[in-house]
Amino acid sequence: MNSTNDAHIKKNSLSDLCVYFDAKNSRDEETGLVDKFVGLRFVEGKLSVHFPVGYEKPKNQDEKQIRLDILNLISILSSFGTPESSLRQTDISLKPDQVFFPIHAYLFVISDFLNHGYYKPKEQIYKRGTTGKINWSRTIKQVRPQITNENVVYLEFITQRTKHNEDELITQIHKYCVYESFSKLGYLFSSFIPAKPAIAFNKNFFTSILQTKLAHTFNEKELLLFKNMLEIILYLDSSSNKENFIYGTNNFHHIWEQLVDSVYGEKDKDKFYPKVYWRLKGNKSDFLFGNSEKRNSLRPDTIMIQERGKPEQKIFVLDSKYYQYGSTKNPNHLPDSASVVKQIAYAKYIDTSENQNKLPQDVHQNIDSTKIYNAFILPSSLKTPQKTPQNIGFVSADYVLPQDSKICQKPYHKIHGILLDIRTLMYSHSPHNSHAINELAKIIVGEDGGDIGD
């Protein structure tokens, strides 16, 4: 470990590490698209934690709340990360092996240490004797009893004692992993500074010891500890201290889509996808791009259904846009014509009778074209009571709803702009949340949303 890492391990203020979106430093004023790193970055001795657009810092810079925010951010990146959201080598200036940082192994080792301290191997010593704790199972199997007056008597027993040996190599390797973990992420848990390890790093030696231990350990807690220690060792390189590490994404929009879909979406949304095909001259069959769902289908991010399978059923086609508007209030940072036309196409597909037999049967039987709606979902930091979603208006296209028209023939011809509080969603994202679904439906359909422009 070098002085750079030692300096970082003593750092106490979490608020100094956090980076929040600044509307004044927007990269793309024309489109409002955000392509910005979200996650943890430790490069050249400087650690920073980057939060997504719309996420505001806690009031009074509350260190406890900031710590919770950082840990929750890590959880979100882990739970909702997709291959599309993963960092690519072209995204950053680090070496490839510095990108794939095993953050959960580091966090596990820290948490385990704070709860249980350093690992202390326990070696059980068994011997024949009359003193010590009797191991009856071994005694019965290994010692022949004496029969006296029809009673069974043991003159000797198998006794056991626990030998604590803190000089075991496994303890030294654990101390190395604890120091390594605290040097990078310990600030998330406490201001404690562990002692420097006495043992020098040796990847092959450490790996051999841990793999041997794993092969002979049946205690689940110890197995988890050893596996996470091994993951840290395998990440480290004997020729480098790996000072630089990154855990996060430059494509948080994929995670934003996953978050919204988890809370509001139906699992069988693929049944609502319009399909495309090529009919080429001279070919007897249509061309469908193989098994590529992305190339075969137009795919709405989320299909939300209120009162599914009932006469009062309402269908909402939601498109999650990780745009800056919620922070900038700049209309240039709203979805453009391409997104609008696609949303209308998605809803039109559901509303077309020829397609409805492709939908799930319970939905098909209760389709009502006056109860199909459209909305864009954007991140923000809301000031509304209980952080309820906010309807900012709607967008349409003149070929379905002319600007001078006061009559909207189909509800889905209006695509409502909805701001969701990103902090609330990141903390509360229980799957298919009926309360959240009903609340959002009311905002879209209700007096403040559904009547706009009528």
Side-chain angles (χ1 to χ4, degrees):
M1 299 293 166
N2 64 22
S3 58
T4 301
N5 219 20
D6 294 340
H8 164 56
I9 200 171
K10 298 175 183 178
K11 193 171 185 67
N12 294 319
S13 176
L14 292 178
S15 60
D16 292 341
L17 308 177
C18 297
V19 179
Y20 300 91
F21 175 74
D22 182 356
K24 296 179 181 179
N25 297 324
S26 169
R27 293 184 183 179
D28 193 338
E29 289 296 331
E30 183 176 348
T31 67
L33 289 171
V34 178
D35 184 17
K36 186 175 180 179
F37 177 75
V38 175
L40 282 68
R41 191 201 311 265
F42 187 64
V43 180
E44 296 180 356
K46 183 179 180 181
L47 177 70
S48 54
V49 182
H50 300 255
F51 287 92
V53 169
Y55 204 103
E56 289 192 352
K57 66 177 65 176
K59 294 181 180 178
N60 303 320
Q61 297 186 339
D62 185 342
E63 291 280 303
K64 182 178 180 180
Q65 183 59 55
I66 292 174
R67 178 174 284 107
L68 291 174
D69 287 352
I70 296 173
L71 290 172
N72 188 55
L73 175 62
I74 293 171
S75 175
I76 291 295
L77 291 170
S78 172
S79 301
F80 293 93
T82 63
E84 292 83 3
S85 66
S86 298
L87 279 172
R88 299 292 188 268
Q89 183 51 35
T90 54
D91 295 333
I92 51 177
S93 59
L94 298 180
K95 296 178 181 178
D97 58 358
Q98 292 171 320
V99 177
F100 305 105
F101 177 63
I103 193 168
H104 292 287
Y106 277 71
L107 293 177
F108 181 92
V109 167
I110 293 171
S111 179
D112 181 82
F113 170 78
L114 291 175
N115 286 309
H116 305 110
Y118 289 118
Y119 174 76
K120 295 180 180 180
K122 298 178 180 179
E123 183 180 350
Q124 301 293 337
I125 306 298
Y126 299 96
K127 68 174 183 177
R128 283 177 179 257
T130 57
T131 60
K133 183 179 180 180
I134 300 172
N135 185 303
W136 282 109
S137 176
R138 288 178 179 252
T139 296
I140 293 170
K141 292 178 181 178
Q142 299 178 21
V143 178
R144 184 187 296 274
Q146 301 295 318
I147 307 298
T148 304
N149 298 326
E150 298 184 352
N151 293 320
V152 176
V153 178
Y154 284 93
L155 302 179
E156 283 188 317
F157 310 95
I158 300 297
T159 62
Q160 68 184 60
R161 66 184 180 88
T162 301
K163 180 183 178 182
H164 297 276
N165 185 358
E166 293 189 10
D167 294 328
E168 287 284 344
L169 285 171
I170 195 73
T171 299
Q172 296 304 318
I173 296 173
H174 184 229
K175 288 182 177 181
Y176 188 96
C177 291
V178 167
Y179 186 84
E180 164 66 16
S181 299
F182 268 86
S183 70
K184 287 185 168 67
L185 299 175
Y187 65 93
L188 293 178
F189 293 82
S190 75
S191 58
F192 171 77
I193 301 175
K196 288 187 178 182
I199 193 171
F201 181 78
N202 186 316
K203 181 178 180 180
N204 293 334
F205 182 58
F206 286 6
T207 300
S208 175
I209 295 294
L210 285 169
Q211 288 176 337
T212 300
K213 195 70 175 176
L214 281 166
H216 296 87
T217 300
F218 302 97
N219 182 294
E220 290 188 6
K221 291 182 179 179
E222 291 187 355
L223 281 172
L224 272 175
L225 175 61
F226 298 152
K227 286 179 180 178
N228 282 284
M229 288 168 60
L230 182 60
E231 194 168 347
I232 291 173
I233 299 305
L234 292 176
Y235 166 74
L236 294 172
D237 189 319
S238 58
S239 62
S240 169
N241 283 320
K242 284 281 179 61
E243 288 299 331
N244 296 338
F245 74 87
I246 283 183
Y247 183 80
T249 178
N250 279 348
N251 301 291
F252 193 80
H253 60 279
H254 291 294
I255 294 177
W256 176 243
E257 293 166 6
Q258 293 289 322
L259 270 170
V260 173
D261 193 47
S262 173
V263 174
Y264 298 99
E266 297 291 323
K267 291 184 178 180
D268 55 355
K269 65 178 180 179
D270 58 307
K271 301 289 178 50
F272 297 79
Y273 292 169
K275 303 296 191 295
V276 300
Y277 61 89
W278 269 98
R279 183 161 293 170
L280 299 171
K281 293 181 178 180
N283 287 7
K284 295 182 179 180
S285 58
D286 295 331
F287 179 69
L288 296 173
F289 294 105
N291 295 321
S292 174
E293 187 68 49
K294 288 184 179 181
R295 302 188 71 190
N296 275 339
S297 307
L298 284 169
R299 306 190 307 161
D301 291 340
T302 298
I303 298 294
M304 184 180 87
I305 303 179
Q306 187 184 38
E307 302 293 344
R308 176 169 175 161
K310 299 178 181 179
E312 56 270 31
Q313 169 182 278
K314 297 182 180 69
I315 300 175
F316 301 81
V317 184
L318 307 181
D319 191 10
S320 302
K321 295 296 188 184
Y322 183 61
Y323 287 9
Q324 302 177 18
Y325 177 83
S327 295
T328 66
K329 301 302 185 289
N330 183 344
N332 284 322
H333 295 167
L334 289 167
D336 60 14
S337 58
S339 297
V340 171
V341 171
K342 282 196 293 184
Q343 283 300 107
I344 295 172
Y346 295 147
K348 178 66 176 176
Y349 176 81
I350 297 171
D351 189 31
T352 302
S353 57
E354 291 83 354
N355 300 325
Q356 290 175 359
N357 61 351
K358 303 174 187 176
L359 304 178
Q361 186 175 5
D362 61 330
V363 176
H364 171 209
Q365 292 174 344
N366 293 277
I367 286 283
D368 182 342
S369 64
T370 66
K371 296 178 180 178
I372 303 173
Y373 303 87
N374 257 325
F376 290 126
I377 309 297
L378 291 80
S380 185
S381 176
L382 297 178
K383 312 301 182 186
T384 54
Q386 288 78 49
K387 304 292 186 180
T388 54
Q390 179 183 349
N391 192 319
I392 60 171
F394 72 89
V395 63
S396 190
D398 59 5
Y399 70 94
V400 294
L401 182 60
Q403 283 183 271
D404 57 356
S405 176
K406 295 184 178 180
I407 300 176
C408 183
Q409 295 183 351
K410 302 282 186 179
Y412 60 81
H413 289 169
K414 297 177 180 179
I415 308 170
H416 298 277
I418 305 295
L419 299 183
L420 284 188
D421 189 80
I422 190 169
R423 175 192 284 273
T424 300
L425 190 63
M426 286 174 65
Y427 270 102
S428 304
H429 46 264
S430 56
H432 202 259
N433 187 316
S434 58
H435 172 75
I437 290 171
N438 291 333
E439 183 179 62
L440 181 57
K442 182 179 179 181
I443 296 297
I444 295 173
V445 180
E447 183 176 351
D448 292 333
D451 295 337
I452 294 177
D454 291 343

